Amino acid sequence: MQINVSQQLKASIGSIRNHGVSGIVNVAGDKSMVQGEVKLMRTDRSILAKSTLHTEVEVTCSRCLSLFGCSLTLNIEEEYFPITDVVSGASLPLPEESGCFTIDEYHVLDLTEAIRQYALLAIPMKLLCREDCAGLCPSCGHNLNQGCCDCSPQETDPRWSVLSKLTLTSDAMVNKRKEME
Ligand SMILES: [Zn+2]
Ligand SMILES: [Zn+2]
């Protein structure tokens, strides 16, 4: 995800170069393949990077807890400031705003950190492996996407779920059960 921009730093303001990029980026502890195009434009003070990248991160379904791949499209637009003048080698002042992206003393523009930040923001809040994920059985934890479990249907009877909230002794439970039958 590193692009040497020394030639472009010497080019005139407004000059544009396109690069195809692909590489592995560590997003939230997982290594993800990232691919796409980046357009770099020389400005009077920086290089403006506009990029559309595609990646897939491994996430956990919030309903059934299985891991699945979540495809992300990242539309990155960030300005990169050189810390060193490409001709004289002198240090350059960085803009006031903190946390801006920089081009290092070897004139390398590194997209990795921007990709990581954009990817984290692009991961949806509600993660489902599929729209109709059946989730887990509340009694035995079986993944219901893989078929039914052996739990008796009575246990999911809403009348019993009300009863189970009460602290009844087993005898009282039996009596209650008889009453309802
Ligand atoms: Zn699921
Ligand atoms: Zn079950």
Side-chain angles (χ1 to χ4, degrees), residues 136-140 144 149 151-162 164:
L136 302 176
C137 169
S139 304
C140 72
L144 297 173
C149 56
C151 296
S152 74
Q154 275 187 349
E155 284 185 48
T156 54
D157 185 311
R159 289 172 299 171
W160 295 119
S161 68
V162 171
S164 66

Side-chain angles (χ1 to χ4, degrees), residues 5 8 13 16 25 32 43 45 54 58 61 70 76 82 85 88 103-104 106 125 135 140 160 168-171 180-181:
V5 293
Q8 200 172 4
I13 291 165
I16 290 172
V25 174
S32 302
T43 75
R45 58 176 196 169
H54 302 280
E58 194 170 63
C61 175
C70 176
I76 293 173
D85 186 283
S88 69
I103 298 166
D104 72 10
Y106 306 106
M125 297 291 276
C140 72
W160 295 119
L168 297 170
T169 64
S170 55
D171 280 348
M180 294 185 80
E181 278 167 8

Side-chain angles (χ1 to χ4, degrees), residues 58-78:
E58 194 170 63
V59 294
T60 305
C61 175
S62 54
R63 215 177 270 171
C64 73
L65 308 180
S66 60
L67 289 171
F68 67 100
C70 176
S71 295
L72 303 177
T73 299
L74 313 177
N75 291 306
I76 293 173
E77 185 169 336
E78 290 292 341

Side-chain angles (χ1 to χ4, degrees), residues 7-131:
Q7 290 309 309
Q8 200 172 4
L9 285 170
K10 291 173 195 162
S12 54
I13 291 165
S15 71
I16 290 172
R17 302 246 169 108
N18 291 306
H19 298 262
V21 288
S22 75
I24 303 289
V25 174
N26 195 329
V27 179
D30 285 313
K31 290 186 165 54
S32 302
M33 184 69 191
V34 180
Q35 277 182 307
E37 290 269 321
V38 59
K39 179 194 269 189
L40 300 180
M41 189 176 83
R42 178 73 165 117
T43 75
D44 57 341
R45 58 176 196 169
S46 68
I47 285 187
L48 182 66
K50 283 192 187 187
S51 183
T52 301
L53 301 174
H54 302 280
T55 188
E56 188 174 287
V57 292
E58 194 170 63
V59 294
T60 305
C61 175
S62 54
R63 215 177 270 171
C64 73
L65 308 180
S66 60
L67 289 171
F68 67 100
C70 176
S71 295
L72 303 177
T73 299
L74 313 177
N75 291 306
I76 293 173
E77 185 169 336
E78 290 292 341
E79 209 173 352
Y80 286 78
F81 297 89
I83 62 167
T84 305
D85 186 283
V86 70
V87 178
S88 69
S91 293
L92 293 173
L94 290 175
E96 295 288 309
E97 65 255 42
S98 60
C100 64
F101 291 108
T102 56
I103 298 166
D104 72 10
E105 66 267 40
Y106 306 106
H107 318 300
V108 170
L109 185 158
D110 190 349
L111 290 168
T112 306
E113 179 55 22
I115 291 168
R116 202 186 62 80
Q117 290 180 11
Y118 278 71
L120 287 176
L121 287 174
I123 296 172
M125 297 291 276
K126 189 181 170 198
L127 289 166
L128 291 179
C129 61
R130 57 186 213 215
E131 277 295 309

